[in-house]
Amino acid sequence: MSTLNQTHDPKLESWVASANSVDSEYPIQNLPFAIFRRANEQEKYRGGVAIGDQVVDLAAVASSNVLGTGLAEELAACCEEKLNRFMAMGHGSWSKLRHALSAALAKGSAEEAQLTECLIPQAEVEYDLPARIGDYTDFYTSINHATNIGKLFRPDNPLLPNYQWVPIGYHGRSSSIDVSGQSFRRPKGQLKAPDADQPVLGACKRLDYELEVGIYIGDGNELGDTIAIDEAENHVFGLCLFNDWSARDIQAWEYQPLGPFLAKNFASTVSPWIVTMEALAPFRSAWSRPSEHPQPLPYLDSEQHRTSGGVDMNLEVLIETATMRAEGLSPSSVAKSNFVDSYWSVAQMVTHHSINGCNLVAGDFFGSGTQSGDSLDKVGSLMESSQGGKEPVTLNNGEQRVFLEDGDSVILRGYCEREGYRRIGFGEAVGTVLPAN
Ligand code: MN
């Protein structure tokens, strides 16, 4: 687990002036990674690090040799079109590059003149998926969400008995995960009204978002090996925002007995920037269970995990309708929640996933499951906000939604803040619904 060090010093400022503004998502304490290139040019994608409103082009850093020779292997890996090889190098390498960039971007650094040549304004770039995601697993770690959804699908039996013992998940599909800016056709599928004798094929009528945290695996484990709970975070490269778009009507008909299938794999959207676990060190929280709940089995429990297994990460979901876009109105905030309320932690997901010897691989991706708090203004899906499609949600321009309509964009945002530290942001994951084919 990452500990506090000089890269988290709240007094640290950068010679990149925009990074020092109090509302910057990317102060020098953050330094998240992405894959990017200049928009509208035939450049290769490569790795970059955000600083203020700029991107540090890691390919330019590599060729200029501005950071010296000690990071040659790490920088060579960051010049590739995906970050998998850098992710596989492990937390020692990630941390070494973070510390070198922190020093070189700090006010008074001798590298300022040379590194200035490696900056590209974020306004001029486009992003790609930061990793080749081999395998994708979606968890279900919010007990509020599991209970709310369970009540809607199974009123008499909302929370199944395994929930408090097993970090429940299913294997999803990675081919339809894309980076922020994704737009997708409303999916079609089998729909069966509760009172109908048989299903029909049609366009989804109950299209929803899911406000999730995305987790990128760094170096994995050999097939047959397991990852102990106190080692788990050394295998995690970092976190992002993740919208696991969901077709609730397709889901309701198909999900038993094997779980989600076509209701989930038509589109999923990640934010471009990955905030590393080291950057998150100031925002860790105790992990606990109410004493009347079952406590985790020993392999999912430890003193270190109880002390700091949680991540205090603020999450928000906003809707921008086509009308809002046409009229230049701000998106409407629908809900806010916090990852710290998750019933299962990042480390528990990693350890549980490997307990049977399953090998995790660099670039594998986990969804945390929808993060919902304990009241209606904190729920991470419209299925919950509209109470199963019964109570319309009123947006700030007076429009109403029970589920998403064509032309709607959904925007996820996230940030961490804590007294005594610089606030760091996750940026946005934006996706837009197009009409069905
Ligand atoms: Mn999900």
Side-chain angles (χ1 to χ4, degrees):
M1 173 166 290
S2 294
T3 50
L4 290 169
N5 55 53
Q6 68 268 27
T7 66
H8 306 106
D9 180 352
K11 294 193 291 296
L12 199 60
E13 292 203 316
S14 175
W15 48 262
V16 179
S18 59
N20 304 326
S21 127
V22 286
D23 56 356
S24 175
E25 300 262 271
Y26 311 115
I28 193 169
Q29 291 81 2
N30 193 348
L31 303 179
F33 288 80
I35 286 289
F36 82 101
R37 68 179 176 190
R38 280 189 184 84
N40 310 313
E41 297 196 26
Q42 297 304 310
E43 290 185 344
K44 276 182 70 172
Y45 280 105
R46 68 269 189 187
V49 165
I51 181 74
D53 59 7
Q54 305 288 309
V55 180
V56 183
D57 178 351
L58 295 175
V61 171
S63 56
S64 73
N65 215 18
V66 54
L67 296 183
T69 53
L71 283 157
E73 281 181 49
E74 285 80 3
L75 288 169
C78 290
C79 292
E80 297 180 7
E81 291 188 316
K82 297 290 178 195
L83 291 171
N84 294 64
R85 203 161 66 80
F86 178 58
M87 291 170 158
M89 294 174 94
H91 67 104
S93 287
W94 315 330
S95 186
K96 202 163 72 166
L97 182 53
R98 170 183 170 84
H99 281 248
L101 285 169
S102 174
L105 288 164
K107 259 186 190 163
S109 131
E111 286 81 32
E112 175 176 346
Q114 235 188 321
L115 206 49
T116 301
E117 302 296 313
C118 305
L119 299 182
I120 300 173
Q122 284 165 27
E124 296 175 12
V125 310
E126 59 188 358
Y127 301 97
D128 198 4
L129 265 187
R132 276 183 309 279
I133 299 174
D135 277 301
Y136 154 52
T137 304
D138 198 28
F139 284 89
Y140 199 47
T141 66
S142 164
I143 194 170
N144 296 314
H145 173 73
T147 306
N148 294 338
I149 290 285
K151 271 182 197 153
L152 295 167
F153 282 138
R154 297 177 303 275
D156 47 336
N157 191 17
L159 199 66
L160 295 172
N162 57 2
Y163 186 84
Q164 292 173 300
W165 297 96
V166 180
I168 296 290
Y170 67 94
H171 283 124
R173 188 169 172 84
S174 55
S175 65
S176 50
I177 302 178
D178 204 352
V179 76
S180 185
Q182 180 178 34
S183 54
F184 61 91
R185 295 275 175 197
R186 176 181 296 272
K188 289 188 283 196
Q190 284 201 21
L191 317 173
K192 194 185 96 56
D195 53 353
D197 291 337
Q198 54 182 44
V200 294
L201 176 66
C204 165
K205 296 188 181 76
R206 292 160 75 91
L207 184 62
D208 203 353
Y209 51 77
E210 290 194 329
L211 172 60
E212 303 198 18
V213 176
I215 298 151
Y216 284 96
I217 296 299
D219 54 334
N221 57 302
E222 293 295 321
L223 182 62
D225 286 354
T226 58
I227 299 174
I229 185 97
D230 285 346
E231 288 298 316
E233 288 198 11
N234 289 336
H235 295 264
V236 177
F237 181 69
L239 308 185
C240 69
L241 300 163
F242 181 55
N243 186 345
D244 178 27
W245 305 91
S246 298
R248 300 301 181 194
D249 38 10
I250 298 172
Q251 182 180 359
W253 171 234
E254 75 173 8
Y255 86 103
Q256 286 181 319
L258 289 186
F261 180 32
L262 301 181
K264 299 279 192 172
N265 67 5
F266 53 91
S268 316
T269 309
V270 296
S271 53
W273 294 104
I274 307 174
V275 176
T276 63
M277 296 312 288
E278 186 167 0
L280 292 167
F283 311 104
R284 305 309 300 261
S285 292
W287 182 93
S288 67
R289 272 287 165 80
S291 56
E292 68 276 19
H293 287 214
Q295 299 304 303
L297 291 177
Y299 78 99
L300 295 174
D301 204 354
S302 80
E303 197 182 317
Q304 174 188 300
H305 183 260
R306 295 244 172 200
T307 305
S308 54
V311 182
D312 185 355
M313 175 177 171
N314 295 282
L315 301 166
E316 182 178 18
V317 56
L318 305 96
I319 295 177
E320 182 190 64
T321 66
T323 303
M324 292 175 187
R325 215 160 30 247
E327 296 179 357
L329 302 174
S330 300
S332 185
S333 179
V334 188
K336 292 178 177 175
S337 66
N338 194 307
F339 191 33
V340 81
D341 294 325
S342 177
Y343 201 74
W344 297 102
S345 70
V346 172
Q348 288 170 325
M349 287 183 247
V350 170
T351 293
H352 182 67
H353 208 307
S354 71
I355 194 61
N356 64 345
C358 172
N359 49 330
L360 302 177
V361 177
D364 282 358
F365 187 82
F366 294 174
S368 66
T370 308
Q371 296 300 307
S372 293
D374 57 6
S375 59
L376 265 184
D377 56 339
K378 298 179 187 165
V379 291
S381 68
L382 270 179
M383 181 75 169
E384 293 165 90
S385 300
S386 70
Q387 297 166 64
K390 291 194 275 293
E391 296 292 332
V393 175
T394 302
L395 306 177
N396 59 12
N397 67 340
E399 287 183 271
Q400 293 192 318
R401 287 291 179 275
V402 283
F403 288 101
L404 294 170
E405 297 188 5
D406 294 345
D408 285 352
S409 292
V410 173
I411 303 159
L412 308 187
R413 293 184 184 152
Y415 65 92
C416 295
E417 69 181 356
R418 186 165 281 181
E419 188 72 36
Y421 293 97
R422 265 308 294 264
R423 173 189 184 276
I424 63 172
F426 283 75
E428 292 185 340
V430 184
T432 303
V433 180
L434 303 175
N437 254 330

